[in-house]
Amino acid sequence: MSSTLITIERFLLEQQPHSAEGDLTTLFYDIALAAKMIAKQTRRSALLDILGYEKTTNIQGERQRKLDVYADEMIYRMNDHTGRLCAMVSEERDDWIPIPANYKKGKYVLVFDPLDGSSNIDTNVTIGTIFGIFRALDLNNRGRLEDCLRSGKELVAAGYIIYGTSTMFVYSAGQGVHGFTLDPEIGEFLLTHENMRFPEKPTYYSMNYGAYSYWDPGVQAFGDWLQTAQETPLSARYIGSLVGDFHRNLLYGGIYGYPAEKKYSNGKIRLLYEAGPMAFLAEQAGGYGSDGYGSLLEIKPKTIHQRTQVFLGNREIVQKAEEFIRKTNLSK
Ligand code: AHG
Ligand code: MN
Ligand code: MN
């Protein structure tokens, strides 16, 4: 645990000068400020009657929760006018988001899932925000769809905020993964988890075995191995929030999987603003992110809401999933 008071901005400026180009540091500040606003609302959502559903459904065909819309609005309004971005993509909006013509455009693209784990909002279970940052392909224009359709290996930085028993901001700018805990008394995220890495020994597995009968045979074989063939049995933890499951598995070792299934033939998790950023973090923490066939970071999205199968966590377990899928497909 860190003993000195280091904020995100100081950490970037002092310890990661290469990535502390002015705009990136201030972009992190803007995201952290939006996160503090979202954290405030999640802590009091029942009191503010922002639980429950809007009348709208989003492009995902999911009914929007009031907190989904609030979080989306907060991140958008914190970033549309700052001159740091040339485009945004949000899970809650149909198309990519240009910067309004009356505002200066910047050199970064921000992709985000404003509220991850929405099904947990009314149940007081951990939820999160996921973000990824790309550099614009061509600084001479005001941002285009092709600036947004990028593979995870092109990410400049990625991170998540986890709204749990405490609020944490976890990010990587390509030099390891670092965690900052919000001190609500002073409104600052302070460094508490420097250089987060998956422990050698896994402890948890996070997959929804309720969908087992819909999984491909190779994934079922992997799921059986995960449950029955471990020297030290792993514990099952699946809370319906990728950020919550990923964070616990990063701290204690393990794997999160959302396999393709009947309802989601390509998997449920969105490649651009969920799987890519989380795979970037996984690799920066010594782990791995795969779609079951290869690295998630290598997949270039064709559309902004493209979904994918994901396995995220300790490298050797994720590679085991690939092995079972490969072996079963070969035997077909
Ligand atoms: P979101 O709330 O942004 O739609 O994402 C939820 C995702 C992920 O966070 C979670 O692990 C998974 O959906 C849960 O899906 P099921 O409810 O189908 O298990
Ligand atoms: Mn999500
Ligand atoms: Mn979401």
Side-chain angles (χ1 to χ4, degrees):
M1 291 294 187
S2 163
S3 56
T4 49
L5 298 183
I6 299 185
T7 63
I8 300 172
E9 294 75 30
R10 273 191 55 198
F11 187 76
L12 270 167
L13 288 165
E14 289 170 10
Q15 319 238 342
Q16 308 211 312
H18 95 288
S19 60
E21 297 160 39
D23 277 357
L24 189 64
T25 308
T26 40
L27 177 51
F28 268 95
Y29 178 84
D30 302 335
I31 297 167
L33 185 54
K36 291 178 208 170
M37 305 291 283
I38 297 166
K40 183 169 68 73
Q41 295 297 78
T42 51
R43 272 199 305 277
R44 312 181 302 153
S45 39
L47 303 171
L48 299 170
D49 182 30
I50 61 169
L51 296 180
Y53 289 97
E54 294 287 0
K55 293 188 179 41
T56 50
T57 51
N58 61 17
I59 180 93
Q60 322 285 343
E62 294 154 350
R63 284 186 63 200
Q64 287 182 303
R65 302 286 191 125
K66 291 179 180 173
L67 214 48
D68 280 324
V69 173
Y70 174 85
D72 173 69
E73 268 301 304
M74 205 34 69
I75 297 172
Y76 174 75
R77 282 174 37 207
M78 207 60 82
N79 287 285
D80 67 337
H81 61 284
T82 58
R84 292 190 254 282
L85 301 179
C86 66
M88 286 186 256
V89 170
S90 166
E91 177 187 275
E92 299 301 330
R93 302 207 189 192
D94 299 6
D95 299 319
W96 72 278
I97 308 159
I99 298 304
N102 56 318
Y103 293 137
K104 205 162 77 64
K105 65 111 194 152
K107 61 182 170 188
Y108 291 113
V109 176
L110 176 66
V111 297
F112 58 96
D113 172 5
L115 210 73
D116 174 66
S118 308
S119 60
N120 290 325
I121 291 174
D122 297 7
T123 61
N124 221 351
V125 170
T126 297
I127 48 182
T129 295
I130 305 171
F131 68 89
I133 299 169
F134 297 99
R135 202 168 270 111
L137 288 171
D138 170 1
L139 293 178
N140 299 318
N141 65 50
R142 280 198 64 87
R144 302 161 300 173
L145 175 60
E146 46 266 56
D147 288 304
C148 307
L149 292 176
R150 312 286 283 280
S151 62
K153 68 183 174 194
E154 298 176 77
L155 281 162
V156 170
Y160 57 82
I161 295 92
I162 177 166
Y163 311 102
T165 41
S166 65
T167 300
M168 277 192 71
F169 186 108
V170 177
Y171 86 88
S172 176
Q175 284 183 299
V177 177
H178 310 287
F180 298 75
T181 302
L182 179 65
D183 178 337
E185 308 296 306
I186 58 170
E188 280 291 359
F189 282 103
L190 299 176
L191 181 68
T192 49
H193 297 67
E194 190 169 356
N195 264 324
M196 298 175 81
R197 294 186 68 78
F198 286 97
E200 275 305 302
K201 209 166 133 345
T203 308
Y204 295 110
Y205 64 91
S206 311
M207 294 213 303
N208 179 5
Y209 280 71
Y212 180 92
S213 57
Y214 299 134
W215 295 348
D216 289 345
V219 177
Q220 288 176 334
F222 169 66
D224 297 342
W225 172 84
L226 207 47
Q227 283 192 316
T228 58
Q230 305 305 313
E231 247 168 75
T232 321
L234 302 179
S235 292
R237 289 282 190 289
Y238 183 82
I239 68 166
S241 164
L242 166 53
V243 168
D245 283 322
F246 181 94
H247 185 73
R248 183 200 51 250
N249 295 350
L250 173 56
L251 289 170
Y252 296 106
I255 181 169
Y256 168 95
Y258 203 110
E261 56 173 68
K262 193 163 175 228
K263 189 174 168 203
Y264 298 110
S265 52
N266 292 325
K268 175 184 184 183
I269 304 303
R270 279 64 46 142
L271 175 60
L272 179 59
Y273 43 78
E274 290 178 305
M278 298 310 267
F280 180 84
L281 291 169
E283 293 236 351
Q284 283 290 319
Y288 178 43
S290 170
D291 66 346
Y293 302 93
S295 170
L296 284 162
L297 298 182
E298 294 297 331
I299 310 173
K300 187 178 165 66
K302 294 186 183 56
T303 58
I304 58 174
H305 298 301
Q306 179 174 324
R307 295 175 190 265
T308 178
Q309 175 168 259
V310 304
F311 298 96
L312 292 157
N314 283 65
R315 177 170 284 277
E316 61 286 353
I317 301 193
V318 174
Q319 287 175 329
K320 204 75 185 162
E322 293 179 338
E323 192 186 309
F324 275 104
I325 293 168
R326 206 175 15 255
K327 252 188 333 202
T328 313
N329 288 349
L330 283 177
S331 62
K332 271 182 185 168

